[in-house]
Amino acid sequence: FLRPRTGAKRFHSGRRKLCVRRKLCVAMPVRLRLQRFGRLHKPFYHIVAADVKAPRDGRFLEKLGTYDPIPDRSGNKHLRVDVKRVEHWLMYGAEPSEPVAKLLARAHVLPPPPRRGLNVPEGERGGEGRGK
């Protein structure tokens, strides 16, 4: 015996809203992240918009592009991005993960992320006291 679903799924401001009986709405933040495909030692990734709580290779809202990290014979790694849809999700509050932010910076959609470890004072760096 299956009961019909009551409620509708709606999108608003970068958050996925699950509304039940139009009174109780739960907003779930959206994240742009990579989904791994391919086989062992030959990865291939899809760039997707997904709920934060969804598993890495599980349910997603929309596929936004692909990334092949294995270089071809000419040494190029292939990146395809639907720029209009990525800008749409960013405009409505979706946050990219760190690897996706680097890829979007490579595609000139986002500014490059700050590099790690460049703002650390000289005396606090970890690798300078070695070799003595």
Side-chain angles (χ1 to χ4, degrees):
F1 176 73
L2 295 174
R3 291 177 47 189
R5 287 186 179 181
T6 58
K9 296 178 183 176
R10 298 187 179 153
F11 294 92
H12 184 265
S13 71
R15 295 179 183 267
R16 185 172 185 216
K17 286 192 173 185
L18 179 62
C19 296
V20 180
R21 297 184 196 146
R22 296 187 185 210
K23 291 183 180 179
L24 177 64
C25 291
V26 179
M28 292 184 244
V30 175
R31 178 152 246 193
L32 305 181
R33 62 184 182 199
L34 296 175
Q35 261 188 345
R36 190 181 195 279
F37 287 90
R39 61 186 179 119
L40 189 66
H41 303 298
K42 300 231 183 224
F44 183 82
Y45 296 96
H46 288 206
I47 301 170
V48 297
D51 291 335
V52 171
K53 294 184 179 181
R56 180 193 73 179
D57 296 335
R59 209 173 52 161
F60 63 93
L61 303 173
E62 184 177 357
K63 181 179 165 188
L64 304 172
T66 60
Y67 172 59
D68 187 3
I70 310 256
D72 59 4
R73 292 182 186 231
S74 61
N76 297 324
K77 297 179 180 180
H78 295 281
L79 172 66
R80 290 186 181 142
V81 178
D82 186 355
V83 177
K84 288 184 181 180
R85 295 306 297 165
V86 169
E87 289 175 349
H88 165 81
W89 282 105
L90 292 173
M91 184 175 66
Y92 283 106
E95 293 184 16
S97 64
E98 284 186 29
V100 171
K102 289 178 186 178
L103 292 174
L104 293 177
R106 210 188 278 179
H108 304 292
V109 177
L110 290 178
R115 296 179 68 186
R116 294 183 187 179
L118 293 180
N119 295 332
V120 179
E122 286 294 323
E124 296 181 15
R125 288 197 180 165
E128 293 184 355
R130 298 178 186 174
K132 290 185 178 180

